[in-house]
Amino acid sequence: MKSLFEKTPVVPVVVIDDADKAVRVAEALVAGGLPIIEVTMRTAAAADAIAAIAKQVPDAFVGAGTVLSGDHARAIVAAGAKFIVSPGLHADVVTAAEDLSVPIIPGIATATEAQQAWNMGLRVLKFFPAEQAGGVSMIKALASVFRDVVFMPTGGVSAANLKDYLELPAVLACGGSWLTPAKAIADGDFDRITTLASEALAIAKEVRG
Ligand code: 3PG
């Protein structure tokens, strides 16, 4: 999982209302060079969307975001999710993911939460909501203490600040919804999604080589 992120350190966060479009969105992201895709469990279509992507887009590595409970985790892994992301830290979610042998990236926003996660044995943490919770300078401060932890900032990340985050060695990858705008999905403008993905990948390559 970590080596996959090292290759493509940008994770599109997809909020999808229409499972039929999920495959097209995933194909567009893969075409733009971003195969790691987080589909949030914020819509009724999420499980069907993840199942469809897992079956029909073999080059994608699809996971579930906004996983709030152990039950959520079990259901979405059964649907085909290959990794789990949470907005916060909850032991039930972590335990469920570990029982299922699926990578879990829980959200943290403070040193206390990072320390709790560290004591659960977790070394890859989502920093959420990144911009609102202190952005680049907060990650620098956390990373100076939690030296064996890497972060996935998400929340307010965009093409405008992606470089600033990726320049930090403690940032494994950045997540965000800017790559899959609701309007582009609604309009079926999948080329736009490929363009946004390619632009983000170009920024990542510029920073990380
Ligand atoms: C998430 O689901 O992780 C965040 O809502 C994504 O935040 P963004 O929409 O600011 O990218």
Side-chain angles (χ1 to χ4, degrees):
M1 182 79 187
K2 241 176 161 177
S3 58
L4 204 63
F5 280 127
E6 277 156 12
K7 265 193 232 157
T8 56
V10 180
V11 179
V13 173
V14 181
V15 181
I16 196 130
D17 289 309
D18 178 356
D20 292 342
K21 286 190 171 151
V23 167
R24 299 292 305 278
V25 171
E27 286 171 346
L29 290 167
V30 169
L34 300 183
I36 310 173
I37 301 169
E38 176 189 329
V39 176
T40 71
M41 289 185 76
R42 292 204 283 269
T43 66
D48 287 345
I50 286 173
I53 295 169
K55 276 201 198 101
Q56 295 175 49
V57 192
D59 290 338
F61 189 76
V62 66
T66 324
V67 177
L68 302 180
S69 68
D71 286 346
H72 268 185
R74 282 181 283 274
I76 209 68
V77 170
K82 296 183 172 71
F83 64 94
I84 297 285
V85 180
S86 292
L89 178 68
H90 195 286
D92 286 355
V93 178
V94 174
T95 304
E98 286 174 352
D99 287 349
L100 294 160
S101 301
V102 166
I104 163 75
I105 307 177
I108 62 94
T110 66
T112 299
E113 292 160 4
Q115 190 171 340
Q116 284 169 350
W118 192 90
N119 278 292
M120 291 177 180
L122 301 166
R123 298 294 182 267
V124 180
L125 304 176
K126 172 173 171 168
F127 177 55
F128 177 79
E131 279 293 289
Q132 297 86 338
V136 165
S137 63
M138 181 65 165
I139 295 178
K140 279 187 187 164
L142 289 171
S144 73
V145 179
F146 300 99
R147 296 195 162 195
D148 54 354
V149 171
V150 287
F151 298 90
M152 181 169 79
T154 307
V157 181
S158 69
N161 58 15
L162 179 63
K163 185 170 182 281
D164 300 338
Y165 281 103
L166 290 179
E167 275 172 351
L168 303 183
V171 167
L172 175 65
C174 290
S177 65
W178 88 94
L179 301 144
T180 55
K183 187 169 178 346
I185 297 176
D187 294 349
D189 186 359
F190 304 109
D191 288 346
R192 170 96 187 114
I193 291 171
T194 297
T195 300
L196 289 167
S198 305
E199 285 170 3
L201 186 64
I203 294 169
K205 281 194 173 151
E206 189 194 322
V207 181
R208 301 241 155 139

